Amino acid sequence: MEFTMGGRLEVRITPADVGKRVSVRRRSEGGGAGVEFTDTVGVLTSWDDGVVAITRKSGESVHIVESALVAGKVVPAAAARRRGPAASFAELAAVTARAWQPVESEPLGEWRLRAAGGFTRRANSALPLGDPGMPLGEAFGRVERWYEERGLPPYIQTATGAEGAQEALCAELERHGWRREVTAEVRIAALAPVGDLDADVSAVRLSREPDEAWLSRYQRFSTPGPHVLRVLGGGPSVWFATVAGAGDGVAGGEADGDAPAAIGRCVVDGRWAGFMAVEVAPERRRRGLATSVMAALARRALDEGASAAWLQVEEDNEGARALYDGMGFAAHHRYHHFRPA
């Protein structure tokens, strides 16, 4: 319904606007004197039984009693980025998936079920791009059974915060009892400025495969089994960067038993270069090693014809976020892993 409150504020949204981006104002339940208001911007994902549900770009769902609304309107998609490459959600979703490939994959309609022995959620989650070919509740059940058959926890990876993303799917997952476990940002930037960073790359060794030294610095597993190596080595054009540990004075080498000071991984895929697994020994941080790794990988990607960069960073990793801010990376969208409660 559409109505006027106090002759000034209007609720101009209706249940017919489900699926659109909206901005609403509601009365807050505050204990102080006077009336307090709270604003919410996001995708209107449902309007049922007098309750309005809005999913923010962070993936958070906000439920508002209809009677508390004092204003609301449909708003355009987020303003176009002022820097970096133009990119659609569909393009980035495909590129990021190719850069981190599972060991086992099976279609579910247009969705993709992925498994890799439990090594990372990205390689062990359903990627729901398109129509699963069945009602969503049934598809969620199929996902659960597929992962349970492999002794793995069921996850579905979704995205929010970009035009064409999956706020509605997030809301459906929550209605079926799934809950978000992890949220990360997908960030993008122009690649040339990363390659032009003022960094010493002379000690950065690049290779096509991760050796034992590189794996000893990587913190995502306890034992690097074949499934780990297949995930790390998968992708269109994969490069690994290594900076020698402090125990070896020879650039590009490692002393016996001495893990590298820094590592990184880059996947070049057409115009895109994706950066992953950038890690620095705790005692060697804040010395520019991560910048050196990124610059060296970016220069190789530029040589292969790439012009745009992307990476993923978890929202609570403040150090990495600050580093990437300084390199010109800005958030494009967020992705989430949902698991049955």
Side-chain angles (χ1 to χ4, degrees):
M1 75 187 138
E2 181 172 325
F3 56 95
T4 300
M5 296 290 294
R8 292 179 292 113
L9 301 176
E10 293 182 307
V11 176
R12 297 176 179 174
I13 59 174
T14 75
D17 293 314
V18 168
K20 298 178 181 178
R21 189 168 182 264
V22 300
S23 174
V24 304
R25 173 167 290 183
R26 71 182 188 274
R27 287 188 297 273
S28 300
E29 297 180 359
V35 178
E36 297 182 356
F37 299 100
T38 300
D39 294 331
T40 302
V41 178
V43 174
L44 180 62
T45 46
S46 69
W47 191 323
D48 299 317
D49 299 324
V51 177
V52 176
I54 296 173
T55 302
R56 292 172 165 160
K57 66 180 181 180
S58 65
E60 176 192 5
S61 292
V62 179
H63 295 83
I64 305 169
V65 177
E66 181 181 333
S67 60
L69 292 175
V70 297
K73 61 182 179 180
V74 174
V75 295
R81 290 171 41 79
R82 296 182 179 179
R83 57 177 178 171
S88 68
F89 164 68
E91 179 187 9
L92 270 176
V95 168
T96 56
R98 287 194 294 267
W100 200 260
Q101 298 182 9
V103 174
E104 180 184 3
S105 180
E106 182 179 313
L108 178 63
E110 294 177 315
W111 292 14
R112 179 65 57 177
L113 304 175
R114 307 174 296 178
F119 172 57
T120 72
R121 291 180 183 86
R122 278 181 286 169
N124 294 270
S125 56
L127 186 64
L129 301 179
D131 185 349
M134 61 188 69
L136 283 178
E138 184 179 341
F140 298 158
R142 289 280 296 274
V143 170
E144 289 192 65
R145 291 191 296 274
W146 194 84
Y147 285 98
E148 287 169 357
E149 289 169 359
R150 288 154 181 79
L152 298 171
Y155 285 105
I156 295 179
Q157 179 180 314
T158 65
T160 58
E163 186 174 359
Q166 300 163 315
E167 283 84 357
L169 179 59
C170 293
E172 281 297 320
L173 282 163
E174 290 188 346
R175 277 194 283 271
H176 283 80
W178 293 59
R179 296 293 179 263
R180 285 185 301 142
E181 273 200 357
V182 176
T183 292
E185 287 182 343
V186 176
R187 292 188 167 204
I188 61 176
L191 182 61
V194 182
D196 288 340
L197 290 169
D198 184 12
D200 179 9
V201 300
S202 61
V204 182
R205 175 171 57 85
L206 301 182
S207 61
R208 283 294 195 178
E209 296 181 353
D211 58 17
E212 291 186 5
W214 193 99
L215 294 169
S216 71
R217 172 57 59 202
Y218 191 49
Q219 301 297 313
R220 291 282 183 168
F221 56 83
S222 56
T223 303
H227 60 292
V228 173
L229 298 177
R230 284 186 60 180
V231 173
L232 290 173
S237 179
V238 186
W239 290 97
F240 296 89
T242 304
V243 177
D248 191 341
V250 180
E254 291 79 40
D256 291 341
D258 185 29
I263 60 171
R265 177 179 182 263
C266 179
V267 178
V268 184
D269 184 355
R271 74 184 183 112
W272 289 100
F275 296 86
M276 290 142 276
V278 177
E279 297 190 7
V280 178
E283 69 277 8
R284 302 290 296 278
R285 290 173 184 166
R286 295 181 176 83
R287 301 184 188 181
L289 293 181
T291 301
S292 296
V293 165
M294 293 280 291
L297 290 169
R299 293 174 193 181
R300 181 55 56 92
L302 287 164
D303 289 343
E304 294 193 5
S307 60
W310 67 269
L311 52 79
Q312 297 166 321
V313 58
E314 293 187 2
E315 287 193 323
D316 59 357
N317 192 340
E318 295 297 333
R321 288 161 61 89
L323 173 68
Y324 300 139
D325 283 344
M327 294 181 181
F329 283 89
H332 181 275
H333 65 270
R334 291 171 173 82
Y335 76 90
H336 320 275
H337 284 105
F338 278 80
R339 182 175 178 178

